[in-house]
Amino acid sequence: MSPWRFVVAFGTVSLLADFVYEGARAVTGPLLASLGASALVVGVVTGAGEAAALGLRLVSGPMADRTRRFWGITIAGYALTVVSVPALGVVGVLWAACALVIAERVGKAVRSPAKDTLLSHATAATGRGRGFAVHEAMDQVGALIGPLTVAGMLALTGGDYGPALGVLALPGVAVLGVLLWLRARVPDPAAYERELAPESTTAETAGRLPTAFWTYAAFTATTTAGFTTFGILAYHLVQRGLLATAWVPVLYAAAMAVDAFVALATGWAYDRFGARVLAVLPLLSAAVPALAFTNTVASAVAGSLVWGAAVGIQESTLRATVADLVPAGRRATAYGVFAGAVGAASLAGGALTGALYTYSIPVLIAVVAAIQVAALGVLAALHLRAR
């Protein structure tokens, strides 16, 4: 299988998986609110979910490098996710729903360093930015279909979350089927990179990660600490009466479409201009609360679409940069450490935005803007160090 065919096949896996878990994430805020959650609880749970999805990679990343069982770990993580989501619609009590939200994210933590390492081998041949961007764009096709499916089911059932999330079990089964087929076709994706640079995939798995990697992780963690979760955005839209619950997944789907477009654009720009293109991420992150937390539908919708643009950069170009900074022998570990730093920032950011939303929206906007200015300073330091 050619490198590009491998990227597209892995993109199909992600498309189906996003069909499942992005369909659920689109309604996490309203679902938890319907079970009695406050804005703070929604912020903490969604932030904790992202922290779990990222922080636990500190374990799964080194484990993947140590065992070299990249395929097995990837499949196990996807399995946990596709089992957790349908159950989320039928538990009926807040604590159990919160646990399943976090469990779904744990599945992402298990698989992501191994999955990104497998993908990074093929993108060495296709171009890091373009390869990760195409994968992310396909990923977001699923993120578009899933929320729209959930929205349609909610409309048909009068807001019943059970069947709306239960239907997501079908693409979940397909995820595992395609993964097993792909593993049989390409048991050793590292061969793609070995053909280009044999020494890159035989590097020792011990030793320190590069200094530039740590500076880069600090930049990403800083900007993430000031990034609003969609759970809080959806909570605002529904509680202020700006959108009916059934329309929230439609807006989320639109944000995912923006995500795909921006991922492709910044992936191309990254291969051409390098990591300097990442400067746009703090600017977008600062704009999200300023636009979204208003009482005007148009402005709130615009803020949600800007949120999607920021996520497009986070999910594609940020991952491509890690692959360029770290040798293959330590790459899963690097993805785990990177995600751990960002996970801690996600937890802090979710709690911070949830608490400040309740306290004062103008203060929330100002604090987020200050955090993003600091992130730009760290990114500037990375460029100076690279020189």
Side-chain angles (χ1 to χ4, degrees):
M1 186 179 290
S2 71
W4 269 120
R5 286 186 64 197
F6 181 83
V7 169
V8 171
F10 228 126
T12 302
V13 171
S14 291
L15 184 157
L16 292 167
D18 269 43
F19 190 149
V20 178
Y21 69 79
E22 296 290 12
R25 291 182 74 198
V27 294
T28 294
L31 171 61
L32 296 180
S34 73
L35 297 174
S38 65
L40 177 58
V41 170
V42 173
V44 169
V45 170
T46 54
E50 292 310 305
L54 297 166
L56 292 178
R57 297 183 209 185
L58 285 167
V59 177
S60 62
M63 180 176 67
D65 272 340
R66 185 173 61 253
T67 64
R68 316 307 290 175
R69 296 181 181 275
F70 296 109
W71 276 119
I73 293 170
T74 298
I75 293 169
Y78 275 113
L80 179 57
T81 289
V82 301
V83 168
S84 298
V85 167
L88 183 60
V90 298
V91 291
V93 292
L94 180 59
W95 70 265
C98 291
L100 285 169
V101 168
I102 295 172
E104 182 273 309
R105 298 282 83 192
V106 169
K108 188 172 181 67
V110 170
R111 69 179 179 263
S112 289
K115 178 204 72 176
D116 286 343
T117 299
L118 293 172
L119 186 61
S120 73
H121 295 313
T123 63
T126 64
R128 298 284 190 206
R130 288 187 291 270
F132 275 99
V134 167
H135 177 269
E136 172 65 9
M138 293 186 67
D139 187 273
Q140 295 317 305
V141 172
L144 178 67
I145 297 171
L148 291 177
T149 300
V150 170
M153 291 297 294
L154 286 172
L156 288 173
T157 61
D160 189 346
Y161 289 103
L165 296 177
V167 73
L168 300 178
L170 297 177
V173 172
V175 166
L176 300 180
V178 175
L179 267 175
L180 293 172
W181 169 81
L182 186 57
R183 179 186 183 181
R185 289 294 308 274
V186 189
D188 181 26
Y192 294 125
E193 198 163 351
R194 281 198 297 270
E195 292 178 0
L196 299 174
E199 72 283 356
S200 69
T201 54
T202 58
E204 294 293 331
T205 59
R208 294 183 177 181
L209 294 169
T211 301
F213 164 78
W214 291 107
T215 306
Y216 177 67
F219 156 72
T220 311
T222 303
T223 190
T224 303
F227 191 65
T228 307
T229 67
F230 190 81
I232 295 295
L233 298 181
Y235 182 94
H236 173 80
L237 290 165
V238 173
Q239 295 300 311
R240 295 294 180 93
L242 299 175
L243 283 182
T245 300
W247 281 101
V248 172
V250 177
L251 177 59
Y252 187 84
M256 293 299 97
V258 173
D259 174 327
F261 175 79
V262 171
L264 289 170
T266 56
W268 176 87
Y270 174 80
D271 283 342
R272 186 174 177 85
F273 302 111
R276 70 189 68 172
V277 302
L278 296 175
V280 73
L281 179 57
L283 301 178
L284 292 173
S285 299
V288 171
L291 291 170
F293 294 141
T294 66
N295 291 321
T296 304
V297 174
S299 180
V301 168
S304 299
L305 297 180
V306 171
W307 176 88
V311 172
I313 299 172
Q314 291 175 338
E315 294 294 329
S316 59
T317 312
L318 292 186
R319 291 156 57 210
T321 306
V322 172
D324 275 338
L325 289 173
V326 181
R330 292 280 283 162
R331 200 168 290 157
T333 298
Y335 276 120
V337 171
F338 176 77
V342 176
S346 295
L347 178 57
L352 177 68
T353 55
L356 290 180
Y357 176 88
T358 302
Y359 174 72
S360 170
I361 289 177
V363 171
L364 168 60
I365 293 170
V367 168
V368 167
I371 291 172
Q372 299 307 331
V373 169
L376 286 171
V378 179
L379 183 61
L382 176 62
H383 287 309
L384 289 174
R385 186 179 295 275
R387 292 178 183 176

